[in-house]
Amino acid sequence: MSKAKKKKTLISEIVNIIPSEKKVLLLSSPFIIDRIKNKDIKTLNFEDIDWSSAVDTIFKYGLSGIIFLNLKNSGLIDILPEEDRLKLQHFYHSNAARNALITQILANISQIFRQEEKTFLLLQGTALINGIYPQAAMRYLSDIDIMIKRKDAEEVDKI
């Protein structure tokens, strides 16, 4: 057996031993998507997936945006049953709306901090969203993490 064939077989075997509800998480990987589209993974088995549970797992891990977009962009979104595809799409659009609201709140906070001449450092998701993700809805945001100078803490709290 050639090295390439052994590699394909190994990838398929590894993918197929992953629990059903987590197997779909692989669909966020361009590595796996490319192999599915190029038929490089011959024995990849998605028939055993409980899609409802899988979509809940995707949401639980905060990956609904990235997986929905990757599935949609790759043309693989149709492997999901309609109800679960619509649920994933709903998560994506809800996330886009929430992120737009959080971005607007951040703009207001930034304006207030500039007016008060207070500096802050943006951290975590909100710091990464525009530079890392092609579309903001790919990243789940639930808050705004900022760091301020210790000496400004009391004044910032009042602001």
Side-chain angles (χ1 to χ4, degrees):
M1 186 182 291
S2 72
K3 254 187 179 177
K5 198 167 191 163
K6 283 181 186 175
K7 190 175 180 181
K8 286 180 191 177
T9 303
L10 178 63
I11 291 169
S12 294
E13 287 174 5
I14 290 170
V15 168
N16 285 322
I17 63 171
I18 293 172
S20 164
E21 72 278 0
K22 293 186 179 171
K23 191 182 291 186
V24 73
L25 296 176
L26 291 172
L27 294 174
S28 66
S29 165
F31 175 81
I32 298 296
I33 286 175
D34 289 345
R35 276 146 188 81
I36 292 169
K37 288 174 74 175
N38 295 330
K39 310 263 191 268
D40 285 344
I41 298 179
K42 303 259 186 264
T43 61
L44 191 60
N45 181 11
F46 286 107
E47 288 82 32
D48 66 335
I49 293 176
D50 173 353
W51 286 103
S52 181
S53 175
V55 169
D56 290 343
T57 299
I58 289 167
F59 183 73
K60 174 183 166 187
Y61 290 116
L63 298 171
S64 55
I66 196 166
I67 290 180
F68 172 76
L69 203 59
N70 282 344
L71 287 172
K72 184 177 176 213
N73 290 344
S74 69
L76 295 174
I77 193 72
D78 293 330
I79 67 173
L80 278 82
E82 183 178 11
E83 181 180 336
D84 299 307
R85 183 175 63 248
L86 291 173
K87 188 174 182 182
L88 201 55
Q89 182 177 336
H90 172 74
F91 287 156
Y92 178 81
H93 291 295
S94 295
N95 195 44
R98 182 180 46 261
N99 288 0
L101 177 61
I102 288 173
T103 301
Q104 183 58 50
I105 291 168
L106 178 59
N108 292 343
I109 290 170
S110 296
Q111 181 180 6
I112 292 167
F113 272 54
R114 275 193 304 277
Q115 289 170 350
E116 298 294 326
E117 298 179 351
K118 300 295 176 202
T119 58
F120 71 96
L121 180 64
L122 194 56
L123 304 170
Q124 297 190 32
T126 48
L128 299 172
I129 202 160
N130 291 323
I132 302 291
Y133 298 93
Q135 293 188 20
M138 293 175 78
R139 174 73 153 100
Y140 180 82
L141 294 178
S142 60
D143 60 7
I144 300 170
D145 299 295
I146 60 174
M147 183 185 302
I148 59 171
K149 295 178 183 178
R150 187 180 304 256
K151 68 179 181 71
D152 291 342
E154 211 170 292
E155 276 186 73
V156 168
D157 192 38
K158 290 176 186 174
I159 293 171

